[in-house]
Amino acid sequence: MGDPVMAAPSGAVDRVPSLHVVTDDQVLARPDFPELASRMLRRGRGRIALHLRGPWTSGAQLHRLALTLVGYGESVVVNDRVDVALVTGLRRVHLGARSVPPRIARAILGEGARLGVSTHSVSAVRDAAQEGADWIFVGTIYPTPSHPGDPGRGVGAVKEATRVAPDVPVLAIGGVGPEHVREARLAGGHGVAVIRGIWGALDPLAALNEYLEMLDSER
């Protein structure tokens, strides 16, 4: 038998928003990003988590952007860069395959930190849960231009993740449009994580509202 799965802290599901808005390098380079991100966070009013993710964006630039949003506190999540989170005082970090393990990140940031983990397999979900992840991304669920030729794992991956880690909020990521929210919820998902569905829209704020409305209708 494997190691027992570590349950998320009590009340963790209530603290994890059901909509995670994730950036990429192109989004972070937008001149209107700080203002648009602030408007999203104000409109979300604690119902969204905004992820500062830029794999090829410099640490200096991520630090500058984080400082413009630090006033939104727990609604802002730093992806991968534990150092940026540490120096800005942000206490929410999301870890990917290139990141340090959750136990190391928590040792650096302190027990008050909340950590998410990206996964692409059942074994990775189990490992994330055992390391005390506060939320887990499961992907890639649907076809997406960022993974050409990949048909996606489907919402069965979400259902399997919730079976393996029943006490940790699981969020579907990868090609997730508003029309997929119900399917992800029915599979047991806590919510969804989105990049293009919001940032690629002609009106990102209207797209944000659409996702929130769909999530509200599926509570």
Side-chain angles (χ1 to χ4, degrees):
M1 296 178 63
D3 295 333
V5 171
M6 182 185 299
S10 176
V13 173
D14 295 333
R15 288 197 300 269
V16 177
S18 57
L19 178 60
H20 288 232
V21 181
V22 184
T23 68
D24 59 18
D25 295 292
Q26 289 72 33
V27 170
L28 293 181
R30 291 174 57 149
D32 64 344
F33 171 74
E35 174 58 25
L36 189 52
S38 294
R39 292 177 67 188
M40 285 185 181
L41 287 162
R42 290 196 298 270
R43 187 166 295 187
R45 296 178 184 175
R47 300 163 64 204
I48 72 169
L50 180 75
H51 287 236
L52 285 175
R53 172 184 170 273
W56 306 108
T57 300
S58 71
Q61 177 65 359
L62 285 170
H63 177 253
R64 284 192 291 270
L65 292 173
L67 288 178
T68 68
L69 301 173
V70 72
Y72 295 100
E74 295 182 1
S75 296
V76 180
V77 180
V78 179
N79 279 44
D80 297 320
R81 298 299 299 261
V82 177
D83 56 337
V84 172
L86 185 65
V87 298
T88 56
L90 290 168
R91 310 302 292 162
R92 301 293 182 266
V93 174
H94 189 86
L95 305 170
R98 300 181 302 172
S99 309
V100 297
R103 66 181 182 279
I104 302 298
R106 202 180 297 280
I108 294 170
L109 296 169
E111 286 302 315
R114 293 291 177 259
L115 305 174
V117 178
S118 290
T119 67
H120 298 277
S121 68
V122 173
S123 61
V125 171
R126 184 177 292 109
D127 290 346
Q130 288 174 345
E131 291 224 354
D134 294 286
W135 68 86
I136 295 173
F137 282 7
V138 174
T140 300
I141 303 302
Y142 303 103
T144 172
S146 61
H147 293 81
D150 183 352
R153 300 170 64 198
V155 292
V158 175
K159 185 176 295 186
E160 183 68 4
T162 60
R163 184 190 66 79
V164 171
D167 297 315
V168 186
V170 170
L171 297 105
I173 188 170
V176 180
E179 71 276 14
H180 299 125
V181 167
R182 185 169 190 271
E183 190 176 25
R185 286 282 213 181
L186 289 174
H190 176 71
V192 299
V194 182
I195 302 178
R196 284 181 177 80
I198 288 178
W199 297 109
L202 290 176
D203 185 341
L205 289 169
L208 177 76
N209 286 341
E210 188 175 3
Y211 278 97
L212 288 173
E213 289 169 3
M214 292 300 297
L215 286 162
D216 286 344
S217 70
E218 296 300 327
R219 287 189 183 278

